[in-house]
Amino acid sequence: MNCLGHCHPTPVRALQEQSEKIWHLSNVMTNEPALRLAKKLVDSTFAEKVYFANSGAESNEAALKLARRQALEVHGSDKTQIIAFNQGFHGRTFFTVTVGGQAAYSDGFGPKPGDIVHAEYNNLDSVKALISDKTCAIMIEPLQGEGGIVSPTDEFIKGVRELCNQHNALLIFDEVQTGLGRLGSLYAYMDLGVTPDILTSAKGLGGGFPIGAMLTTTDIAKHLKVGTHGSTYGGNPLACAVSEAVIDVVNTPEVLDGVKAKSVLFVDGLQAINTKYNVFKEIRGKGLLIGAVLNDAYQGKAKDFLVAAMSEGVMTLVAGASIVRFAPSLIIPDEDIKEGLARFEKAIAKITS
Ligand SMILES: *Cc1c(COP(=O)(O)O)cnc(C)c1O
């Protein structure tokens, strides 16, 4: 979220300047920050069209509705199946929790949106077993975040693209967590050799300010005509001005190469801690989205590590019950990584003593 930390001067200035121009417009009009941001996203990705929303869930909701509408208009009413993945996370609207792979989030609200099935991440055969010409889209995170910091294998992610091509299904990448430089490239797809048909972005896109976006091609976008879908605040000039400034800072070799270098420092530091305390069975992830998987003696205890770290002044996250997740600012100074790890080590010393 806070991909540039707190109060980075570039987005702060953009917000201040925009706040004295215009805050909001009727959505029969557009505004300059929205047009500039859309152009920036189009110029730096595969996309030709952008739809703005206010969050990750809303961006995914738009992507799923677009995929269903596109399939209906191009292929007819039978093509409605959506394939997603166990442990996937796509937001908290009813459509997106149902597509997400944790029943605990979608149960208990009555009848769910239909024709949504789940395969196993990194298991191409499980996708093959479900896909058919009735599949309208596959929605996937190009690295499962909430689900446990799981990277896709090369064979799997390329295989998923290939299966979509064979069955005329759209490939939707949910890059809400992986986008905006988090993994060391502007978007994760750029490093995978796989281009999606639709991509969603949020979290880092606003650097802590609420905004979301759905990116796609002109050919697909034409199925979401004006009036078919919309949002009052999507494309809000304040949010778009901030986001434009965030992209200007993040989408530079300096910051993106920095993510890769800081990742090495971070992972090496965690390995060194583990050599002393033997608490992790694996350190995984990519760029500055890192998961430390607790070994069997600490199963289900990730929350305890989070709480202990917090009392040493270090903010961590969890990804499931047994993984401690780190997602620091992309421009965190190396000294802060070292200081943070030293404090994290103190927390671990307390837990293990
Ligand atoms: C956080 C997250 C979302 C939901 O984003 P919100 O802005 O909370 O609605 C969707 N997908 C992924 C992969 C996420 O990590």
Side-chain angles (χ1 to χ4, degrees), residues 1 54-60 88-93 96 139-147 174-178 200-203 210-212 289 325:
M1 250 94 47
N54 309 287
S55 66
E58 277 180 52
S59 307
N60 285 330
F89 184 76
H90 302 295
R92 296 285 197 153
T93 67
T96 56
M139 180 174 259
I140 188 168
E141 296 160 84
L143 178 154
Q144 277 195 334
E146 307 293 315
D174 176 347
E175 293 232 27
V176 171
Q177 189 155 159
T178 55
T200 56
S201 185
K203 293 202 169 117
I211 184 170
L289 187 55
R325 178 169 38 150

Side-chain angles (χ1 to χ4, degrees), residues 102-116:
Q102 276 191 273
Y105 292 163
S106 56
D107 286 350
F109 302 103
K112 297 176 188 181
D115 213 6
I116 297 165

Side-chain angles (χ1 to χ4, degrees), residues 26 42 93 101 119 126 138 192 213 227 233 263 286 296 304 312 317 353:
S26 141
V42 163
T93 67
S126 75
I138 296 184
L192 292 175
Y233 280 124
S263 179
K286 191 172 178 184
D296 294 342
D304 296 355
E312 300 296 335
L317 294 161
S353 65

Side-chain angles (χ1 to χ4, degrees), residues 81 83-84 117-120 125-133 135:
Q81 186 198 50
I83 299 177
V117 294
H118 295 89
E120 217 179 295
D125 285 339
S126 75
V127 185
K128 280 185 194 154
L130 293 171
I131 200 164
S132 73
D133 290 343
T135 305

Side-chain angles (χ1 to χ4, degrees), residues 81-103:
Q81 186 198 50
I82 291 164
I83 299 177
F85 294 86
N86 294 331
Q87 306 308 320
F89 184 76
H90 302 295
R92 296 285 197 153
T93 67
F94 206 16
F95 205 163
T96 56
V97 274
T98 308
V99 172
Q102 276 191 273

Side-chain angles (χ1 to χ4, degrees), residues 228-242:
T228 312
H229 189 64
S231 162
T232 298
Y233 280 124
N236 171 273
L238 295 173
C240 289
V242 169

